[in-house]
Amino acid sequence: MPSFDSVPPADSGHHRNGSQETSERSNENTALLPSFISGEVAHEGESGRHGFHPRHFCTVTYKSSNVVSQYVNFLWPFVPLAIIFRYILSNHPLLIFGFAYVGMIPSANLLGFAGQEFAKKMPKVAGILIETTFGSIVEIILFIVLIVKHREPVEGEMAGNGDEGNLIPIIQAAILGSILANLLLCLGLCFFVGGLRKTTQKFHAAISETGNGLLLVAAFGLLIPSAFYSALKGETTLDKSSLGFVIVKDKFTSEALQRDILKISQMTSIVLIIAFGCYLLFNARSQHSVLHEVIEMDEHRDLDSDEDRARMRYTGTETTVALILSLVFATLLLIYLVEQIEAVVHSGVPDQFLGLILLPLVEKAAEHLTAIDEAYDGVINVALYHCLGPSIQTALFNGPLVVIVGWILNKPMDLNFEIFMIVLLVLGIVVVGNFLRDGESNWLEGTLLVIVYIIIAIASWYYPNPDVATSNGIES
């Protein structure tokens, strides 16, 4: 017979329920930013260990987050070989480029995996923001290395191709190529692999509508300098001062137009970076933001959630070591890649294909593998964010950042893109927006997106280099 002491008071259940409701309500209305400091570590991110254990570190690194990532780890021998070839076979630039290119894949994969591990030790919404940021570090490093290696032509000479040190067209192509790789290739593969496991996958309207709207705004900001140039290039006159003639001050010369384009690009870049800060602040401060809705919907839809919880984890120290190692290797290999660009372009690879297709594929490898794995697991909303989120960051932050860095280094990096690339970007956003409109995806839609990307790759291979034809250069 139960004792009287074991029976709770009559109103204790009501009091407990009221406290629970108050706690839940408090959690829903609590801003995310303070939780960066005081939030509890998510249980799924705990490793049960402390410090650094080489054997466990290697085991966790090998198993990674999914089967595809495990196979990618077999490419690690290319990393030391690329470093060795850089010094003992310096007269074989194409070989160095090839090994560094392949070696970038496991390096980026480790960076992405370490970012995931770090994110799992943070509050959920903060984690997905941090994970996306880590995935874009490789891209930021690539852009900065490219602008640092860019060489201005000697006075009186026309700007040449990538084989002559003119890397700005390649940077511009890489900015838009990165966005297109996420929107068409990565999203297409997510729809395809997700459709193989489930006939139709439904995603939240908030993530698709907000993501597509932000991309349209970002595209508007990126393309304004190109539109400005296209509208006024026919109104410029030749600067005859170099020929010994007196120039009239009111004449609108091509050099003046180029200076205006550069100033517009620099000011626009500052505004876009501010917009990106507002975007992050909105997601971080509002618990009812798009990221919170995504996580709430997908928490119970992960088909491999039991396996994920049972998987071995990094400790905090091991996570830090993995991040440092991956960043060091990725930076070294990117430097080696950029050093060999002149030889690659000279061998016959077009500037536009190199920037629009080759470079984005390797620097986005980690993000793409993560998103595809999530789509296969049924976590389509998070996968969709890993496609749209990096595209938004490239358009609002990474691309404008390289313009600011060029400004600091006194290099004329602007946002005056080729008309060909502008058309690709706008059409790409429109196509993706149409597929996202119904809130559902299947393998056929994914196949069509990948086909569009392949068509773009084919066209970019035949697009002439800047010294042959250009739609955004200053006519002489």
Side-chain angles (χ1 to χ4, degrees), residues 278-295:
C278 294
Y279 165 68
L280 288 181
L281 187 62
F282 169 75
N283 285 326
R285 291 292 300 178
S286 175
Q287 195 75 342
H288 295 284
S289 67
V290 58
L291 295 182
H292 178 72
E293 295 181 19
V294 166
I295 294 173

Side-chain angles (χ1 to χ4, degrees), residues 353-392:
F353 184 82
L354 182 63
L356 202 63
I357 304 297
L358 287 184
L359 293 180
L361 281 181
V362 70
E363 52 99 351
K364 289 292 184 182
E367 293 176 353
H368 291 180
L369 289 175
T370 300
I372 292 169
D373 176 61
E374 289 165 344
Y376 186 74
D377 292 343
V379 192
I380 189 62
N381 284 301
V382 177
L384 187 60
Y385 180 80
H386 276 122
C387 295
L388 298 180
S391 299
I392 294 169

Side-chain angles (χ1 to χ4, degrees), residues 129-189:
L129 289 170
I130 293 171
E131 185 178 347
T132 304
T133 301
F134 275 123
S136 294
I137 288 179
V138 175
E139 180 174 273
I140 294 173
I141 296 173
L142 172 63
F143 290 167
I144 292 177
V145 171
L146 283 169
I147 192 62
V148 169
K149 294 289 185 179
H150 167 76
R151 295 198 308 268
E152 280 294 286
V154 180
E155 186 177 355
E157 293 182 357
M158 293 290 294
N161 302 329
D163 59 347
E164 299 169 348
N166 181 23
L167 301 181
I168 287 181
I170 295 178
I171 300 173
Q172 292 173 332
I175 292 172
L176 300 191
S178 176
I179 298 173
L180 292 173
N182 281 314
L183 290 182
L184 298 176
L185 180 63
C186 184
L187 186 60
L189 291 175

Side-chain angles (χ1 to χ4, degrees), residues 184 188 431 435 443-455:
L184 298 176
V431 169
F435 281 140
W443 68 265
L444 177 60
E445 292 180 346
T447 303
L448 295 177
L449 287 176
V450 174
I451 288 174
V452 172
Y453 187 78
I454 293 174
I455 294 173

Side-chain angles (χ1 to χ4, degrees), residues 25-284:
R25 202 160 44 241
S26 175
N27 289 336
E28 290 175 356
N29 295 326
T30 301
L32 175 60
L33 286 184
S35 66
F36 276 104
I37 300 174
S38 60
E40 296 182 359
V41 174
H43 175 71
E44 62 177 349
E46 297 177 356
S47 64
R49 298 178 291 113
H50 298 282
F52 182 82
H53 306 274
R55 182 180 176 184
H56 285 281
F57 177 81
C58 293
T59 302
V60 175
T61 301
Y62 166 71
K63 291 185 176 180
S64 196
S65 59
N66 55 70
V67 176
V68 178
S69 294
Q70 290 183 28
Y71 291 139
V72 167
N73 286 326
F74 287 109
L75 300 176
W76 270 107
F78 283 87
V79 176
L81 286 175
I83 297 174
I84 293 172
F85 290 166
R86 163 67 173 74
Y87 294 99
I88 68 174
L89 295 175
S90 56
N91 57 338
H92 292 79
L94 296 183
L95 184 65
I96 298 172
F97 183 89
F99 273 79
Y101 189 88
V102 177
M104 269 300 304
I105 299 175
S107 300
N109 180 61
L110 177 60
L111 179 60
F113 177 60
Q116 290 180 32
E117 290 293 293
F118 185 81
K120 286 183 172 64
K121 302 178 188 301
M122 300 291 289
K124 291 184 180 296
V125 179
I128 194 172
L129 289 170
I130 293 171
E131 185 178 347
T132 304
T133 301
F134 275 123
S136 294
I137 288 179
V138 175
E139 180 174 273
I140 294 173
I141 296 173
L142 172 63
F143 290 167
I144 292 177
V145 171
L146 283 169
I147 192 62
V148 169
K149 294 289 185 179
H150 167 76
R151 295 198 308 268
E152 280 294 286
V154 180
E155 186 177 355
E157 293 182 357
M158 293 290 294
N161 302 329
D163 59 347
E164 299 169 348
N166 181 23
L167 301 181
I168 287 181
I170 295 178
I171 300 173
Q172 292 173 332
I175 292 172
L176 300 191
S178 176
I179 298 173
L180 292 173
N182 281 314
L183 290 182
L184 298 176
L185 180 63
C186 184
L187 186 60
L189 291 175
C190 287
F191 285 175
F192 179 78
V193 300
L196 293 179
R197 201 166 184 179
K198 293 180 65 177
T199 305
T200 301
Q201 288 187 309
K202 296 184 178 181
F203 43 82
H204 202 288
I207 179 67
S208 59
E209 292 176 359
T210 304
N212 199 55
L214 282 169
L215 282 174
L216 285 173
V217 172
F220 178 84
L222 287 177
L223 304 182
I224 283 297
S226 302
F228 184 89
Y229 174 80
S230 298
L232 295 175
K233 66 179 180 179
E235 305 299 325
T236 59
T237 59
L238 180 63
D239 185 357
K240 299 181 180 179
S241 58
S242 61
L243 303 177
F245 294 94
V246 178
I247 185 170
V248 181
K249 291 184 178 180
D250 294 336
K251 292 291 184 180
F252 186 59
T253 64
S254 57
E255 289 76 13
L257 176 59
Q258 185 64 34
R259 288 194 299 269
D260 291 345
I261 289 294
L262 187 58
K263 291 177 183 177
I264 292 173
S265 299
Q266 292 166 349
M267 296 301 105
T268 300
S269 296
I270 294 174
V271 174
L272 290 177
I273 291 176
I274 293 174
F276 181 70
C278 294
Y279 165 68
L280 288 181
L281 187 62
F282 169 75
N283 285 326

